[in-house]
Amino acid sequence: MYADQFEIYHGNSNPDLARKIARWLGTENGKAEVFQFANENIFVKILDNVREKDIFLIQPTCHPVNQSIMELLIMIDAFKRASAGRITAVIPFYAYGRSDKKDQPRVPITARLIADMITVAGADRVLTMDLHQGQIQGFFNIPVDELTAVHLLSNYFIHKHLEDLVVVTDLGFAKRARTFAELLDAPLAIIEKRRIGNLDRAELMNVIGDVKGKRAIIVDDEIDTAGTLTEIVRALEREGVTEIYACATHGVLSDPAVDRIRDSSLREIVLTDSVPLPAHKRLGKITTLSVAPLIGEAIKRIHRGESVGALFSSEVSFTQEMLLWEDNQARRMDTRREPGHEGEPDAADAGAADNAPAEFEAAGLGSPARPGDR
C-alpha cells in the first residue's frame, strides 16, 4: 500500500506543463536529474525519498520522440527500484499512436510495442489524453485513464458566440467530434479521405454534409505537418464555407506545418499545451489552451480513488467551467471577436476572470488547490 501522499516528477519533454500542473495542485515538482551523456546515454537520478509514495510521472512522448520515450522508461525503472508505492505514467501525448494496426504487409504495430515497454518498465497505470484511436487503451495490461480536451476546446468556441456553425472532421475522430458538435449545438460534416502510402499527406475524396454558407470548425486529435488540414481547408472553400477555424488537442506542428498554417485562409487554430509550442511556431492565429487543470484534477482523483469519468459527466461538468488558466490564475477569456460576428459578450463573460474561484466551486470541485490540500 502506497503512502497517503503523492509526488509529481517530469522529464525534459514538457517541463512547463508539469510546472503548471504542480501549481494547480498547490505543490512543487519533485527533484530529479535527467540528462544525456556525450555518448547519448540517458542518466536518471531521483533526488528525493519516494519509498511507498504515489508517483505521477509527467512525460508526453513528443519531440525528440525517441529520447522522450527512453527518458520515460528509464525514469519509471528508477522509481520502481527506489521502491515507489505506485507509478502512474502521465502521457498527455502518446507518440506512435498512428501505428496502431497492420495496414500494410510486414509493418509493426508500434503503438502496442510502446505500451508493452511502458508496462515492462514498471508503470502501474497510465493517464493520457485523446489517443489517436481508443483501442490503444487495450494494448496495455495495466489500467488506462484517457482524458479528452473536446469539452475544453468546445467551451472556447462557445464563448466566441459564432453563428451558422458546422463541425468538420474525418471518420477517425468522428465519435469525439460528434460530442464537440453536440456541445456547440451544430451539425457535423465528415471528410472522406485516403492517405497516400507512408507520406504525411492525404488525398481528399469528398465532403459529406451541408457546409455551404457556414462557418466551419475543423476538429482533430493532432496536427502534424498540417498537410491534411490545408487540404481540408481547400475542400471546404470549394464547397462555399465562409470562415474556417481549426482545433486539435495535440499541436505537433512538424515542418512545414507553421508555413502552411501561415499561408492558409484559416482564421484561427486552437491547440492545447499537451505538446510544447516553441516561440518560433507561435503565430498570431494560433491560440493555446492549458490542460493543466484537467490533468491536475485527474491526478487528484486517481490518488484519492475517485471517478475520473465524472469529470466529463453532466453531474460534474468541470471542463465546461474551465477558463484560460495560466500559472495558478485564470486569465480573461480572449475570444478574438471579429467584426461582423453577431452578439456581444455578456456580463458573465466579461467578469469571468475575476470570478474564477466561484466558477470552480459551481462545478462542485472547489478552487484550484493550495499547499496542504492534498
Side-chain angles (χ1 to χ4, degrees):
M1 180 65 181
Y2 53 86
D4 187 25
Q5 184 178 5
F6 69 84
E7 300 289 342
I8 295 176
Y9 290 82
H10 64 85
N12 294 315
S13 64
N14 198 343
D16 286 342
L17 177 59
R19 177 179 55 80
K20 292 175 186 176
I21 293 170
R23 283 180 176 270
W24 170 260
L25 291 168
T27 185
E28 295 182 356
N29 288 309
K31 295 180 175 59
E33 293 180 356
V34 185
F35 63 88
Q36 195 175 72
F37 288 114
N39 63 359
E40 299 184 5
N41 289 358
I42 295 171
F43 176 80
V44 171
K45 182 178 181 181
I46 312 303
L47 302 179
D48 303 318
N49 175 21
V50 297
R51 185 176 296 272
E52 298 305 322
K53 291 184 180 178
D54 195 6
I55 300 300
F56 291 86
L57 174 54
I58 300 169
Q59 179 80 340
T61 52
C62 51
H63 176 78
V65 172
N66 297 326
Q67 180 179 328
S68 296
I69 291 171
M70 283 306 301
E71 282 187 6
L72 173 64
L73 298 174
I74 294 171
M75 290 187 76
I76 291 172
D77 185 73
F79 281 112
K80 181 178 68 174
R81 297 178 188 281
S83 301
R86 181 174 67 174
I87 304 168
T88 301
V90 182
I91 312 173
F93 172 65
Y94 188 84
Y96 291 102
R98 287 188 283 187
S99 179
D100 59 353
K101 57 186 174 295
K102 284 195 67 174
D103 54 357
Q104 302 173 48
R106 298 173 297 280
V107 297
I109 303 179
T110 315
R112 171 61 192 264
L113 174 62
I114 300 299
D116 287 343
M117 292 165 64
I118 292 170
T119 304
V120 170
D124 295 295
R125 66 186 307 125
V126 169
L127 175 62
T128 187
M129 177 174 289
D130 281 330
L131 294 168
H132 186 64
Q133 293 293 339
Q135 71 260 21
I136 295 175
Q137 295 183 36
F139 292 169
F140 290 88
N141 292 320
I142 55 177
V144 176
D145 291 300
E146 183 185 4
L147 306 176
T148 180
V150 163
H151 299 75
L152 176 64
L153 294 168
S154 64
N155 196 39
Y156 177 83
F157 284 101
I158 288 172
H159 281 77
K160 290 180 75 70
H161 304 284
L162 300 174
E163 295 186 348
D164 296 324
L165 286 176
V166 60
V167 175
V168 180
T169 190
D170 60 30
L171 289 170
F173 200 70
K175 185 175 180 179
R176 280 169 284 188
R178 187 179 300 114
T179 301
F180 186 97
E182 290 173 353
L183 292 169
L184 286 172
D185 193 23
L188 181 66
I190 302 294
I191 296 290
E192 183 189 3
K193 69 178 184 180
R194 180 177 63 197
R195 192 163 295 279
I196 303 172
N198 295 317
L199 303 177
D200 284 325
R201 63 189 181 91
E203 175 186 344
L204 292 169
M205 304 295 290
N206 197 14
V207 179
I208 305 172
D210 181 19
V211 299
K212 186 174 182 180
K214 296 181 180 292
R215 292 187 175 101
I217 302 177
I218 303 169
V219 186
D220 209 344
D221 63 316
E222 173 186 343
I223 298 177
D224 187 4
T225 63
T228 300
L229 176 62
T230 51
E231 288 290 335
I232 293 175
V233 169
R234 283 192 282 269
L236 292 175
E237 288 174 336
R238 290 193 299 268
E239 296 291 329
V241 169
T242 58
E243 289 180 355
I244 305 176
Y245 299 80
C247 64
T249 302
H250 312 298
V252 179
L253 302 188
S254 307
D255 289 335
V258 173
D259 293 333
R260 286 172 170 169
I261 292 169
R262 182 189 294 112
D263 298 337
S264 74
S265 61
L266 283 163
R267 187 170 288 260
E268 183 180 8
I269 292 185
V270 184
L271 307 171
T272 78
D273 58 354
S274 65
V275 174
L277 192 64
H280 69 277
K281 295 184 179 181
R282 295 174 187 170
L283 302 178
K285 62 172 67 176
I286 295 179
T287 299
T288 304
L289 309 180
S290 181
V291 293
L294 180 58
I295 295 177
E297 188 65 27
I299 287 174
K300 187 195 305 181
R301 285 169 173 267
I302 290 171
H303 175 69
R304 293 177 177 176
E306 298 173 354
S307 171
V308 174
L311 282 171
F312 309 103
S313 70
S314 57
E315 291 79 13
V316 185
S317 54
F318 172 67
T319 51
Q320 285 289 0
E321 299 295 335
M322 281 196 302
L323 304 173
L324 291 173
W325 183 91
E326 187 81 21
D327 289 345
N328 218 26
Q329 62 182 347
R331 295 187 283 113
R332 188 173 299 277
M333 177 74 73
D334 175 16
T335 55
R336 300 191 180 199
R337 185 181 303 276
E338 281 115 7
H341 290 182
E342 298 298 328
E344 294 296 333
D346 55 27
D349 291 337
D354 299 329
N355 297 324
E359 296 256 10
F360 289 116
E361 289 168 6
L365 296 167
S367 303
R370 297 289 183 269
D373 285 353
R374 292 182 296 166

